[in-house]
């Protein structure tokens, strides 16, 4: 069973950079699939942030594109999210998930999520 | 900005049948949007139920089914159980990304 686990600071100051990592186990990132980040503000719905392929190809939500970078480290079997210049509106539970591959468009395995609060 | 729209809330009786829908601001939803459906209970991560319109994951209960209905993606629950009370989200894939619907809160009463 594919497992994903988010990690990173739970508190970030306004205007600083939010940095999270997703560790993947029981599946090699290099085997395929895109890998994605999704967030959910408290009491609100899901928002797709962006996704990356093991080769480094990325695509982002247009509303966040100017502030987001997603990267992958195949040697550690993990991928990461950086969100720049955060504000209180970026407070959310952040999830990582296995995204689609060339054959199937799905997001089948998800991490448990990590709450990140933006506050001074 | 693409907007994906779902019913905010629905109520169904135990043992009943209910259909949730998912519409796109770009027009009719087709199989080319590869509709996905997820279930989320309070305090939990979303759980994938349906992908590519109607395909089920190995863990998806038989009572959940996906389809296209009147230009929308649809999720039908047949023989609803009390444990089906949850928030349900659809996901559509577009050429330049993907977008979630706002979610439907399903109450079993």
């Amino acid at each position: 069973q594919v497992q994903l686990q988010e990690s990173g600071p739970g508190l970030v100051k306004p205007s600083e950079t939010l940095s999270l990592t997703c560790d993947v186990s029981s599946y090699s990132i290099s085997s395929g699939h895109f890998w994605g980040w999704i967030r959910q503000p408290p009491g609100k719905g899901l928002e797709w942030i962006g996704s990356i392929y093991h080769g480094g190809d990325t695509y982002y939500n247009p509303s966040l594109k100017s502030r987001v970078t997603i990267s992958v480290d195949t040697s550690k079997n993990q991928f990461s999210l950086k969100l720049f210049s955060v504000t209180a509106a970026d407070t959310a539970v952040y999830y990582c998930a296995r995204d689609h591959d060339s054959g199937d468009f799905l997001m089948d395995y998800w991490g448990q999520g990590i709450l990140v609060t933006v506050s001074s | 900005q693409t907007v994906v729209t779902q019913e905010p809330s629905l109520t169904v009786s135990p043992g009943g049948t209910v259909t949730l829908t998912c519409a796109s601001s770009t027009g009719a939803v087709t199989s080319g949007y590869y509709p996905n459906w997820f279930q989320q209970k309070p305090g939990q991560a979303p759980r994938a139920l349906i992908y590519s319109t109607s395909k089920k994951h190995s863990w998806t209960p038989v009572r959940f089914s996906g389809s296209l209905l009147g230009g929308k993606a649809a999720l039908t629950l047949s023989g609803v159980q009390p444990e089906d009370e949850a928030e349900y989200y659809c996901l559509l894939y577009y050429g330049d990304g993907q977008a979630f619907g706002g979610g439907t809160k399903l109450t079993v009463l």
Side-chain angles (χ1 to χ4, degrees):
Chain A
Q1 167 121 347
V2 182
Q3 294 183 313
L4 298 93
Q5 178 70 59
E6 306 88 352
S7 62
L11 181 64
V12 181
K13 290 182 169 54
S15 80
E16 295 190 346
T17 298
L18 180 159
S19 296
L20 297 174
T21 296
C22 182
D23 288 294
V24 180
S25 56
S26 300
Y27 189 87
S28 172
I29 282 182
S30 298
S31 294
H33 281 272
F34 275 80
W35 300 86
W37 286 99
I38 305 95
R39 70 180 183 178
Q40 184 171 37
K44 297 188 177 181
L46 301 171
E47 180 181 33
W48 171 72
I49 299 171
S51 298
I52 188 166
Y53 195 61
H54 66 79
D57 292 341
T58 53
Y59 63 117
Y60 301 120
N61 185 323
S63 68
L64 296 169
K65 187 174 183 178
S66 64
R67 297 195 294 128
V68 173
T69 296
I70 297 176
S71 58
V72 64
D73 187 337
T74 55
S75 67
K76 295 181 179 179
N77 215 41
Q78 63 183 203
F79 59 107
S80 300
L81 169 71
K82 287 189 185 297
L83 181 63
F84 306 100
S85 304
V86 298
T87 69
D90 295 310
T91 293
V93 175
Y94 285 77
Y95 296 100
C96 58
R98 190 173 77 165
D99 201 343
H100 68 284
D101 65 9
S102 57
D104 288 314
F105 284 76
L106 45 64
M107 297 188 98
D108 51 0
Y109 294 99
W110 293 59
Q112 65 185 25
I114 182 169
L115 174 62
V116 179
T117 301
V118 178
S119 174
S120 54
Chain B
Q1 180 86 0
T2 302
V3 177
V4 180
T5 303
Q6 299 180 241
E7 298 88 357
S9 63
L10 291 170
T11 300
V12 61
S13 299
T17 297
V18 65
T19 297
L20 290 63
T21 67
C22 175
S24 173
S25 62
T26 59
V29 175
T30 66
S31 59
Y33 288 86
Y34 303 99
N36 279 236
W37 291 93
F38 302 86
Q39 178 192 66
Q40 187 180 35
K41 295 182 179 180
Q44 297 182 14
R47 181 175 75 135
L49 293 174
I50 299 289
Y51 66 101
S52 294
T53 304
S54 58
K55 295 181 180 180
K56 297 182 183 183
H57 296 281
S58 59
W59 54 80
T60 303
V62 172
R63 61 184 181 275
F64 291 87
S65 63
S67 64
L68 295 176
L69 200 63
K72 300 178 183 180
L75 174 70
T76 299
L77 287 70
S78 304
V80 172
Q81 302 296 308
E83 60 264 29
D84 296 334
E85 183 163 293
E87 193 86 22
Y88 291 84
Y89 293 93
C90 67
L91 170 69
L92 300 179
Y93 282 87
Y94 297 87
D96 58 352
Q98 54 231 56
F100 287 94
T104 296
K105 181 174 175 56
L106 181 66
T107 300
V108 181
L109 203 57

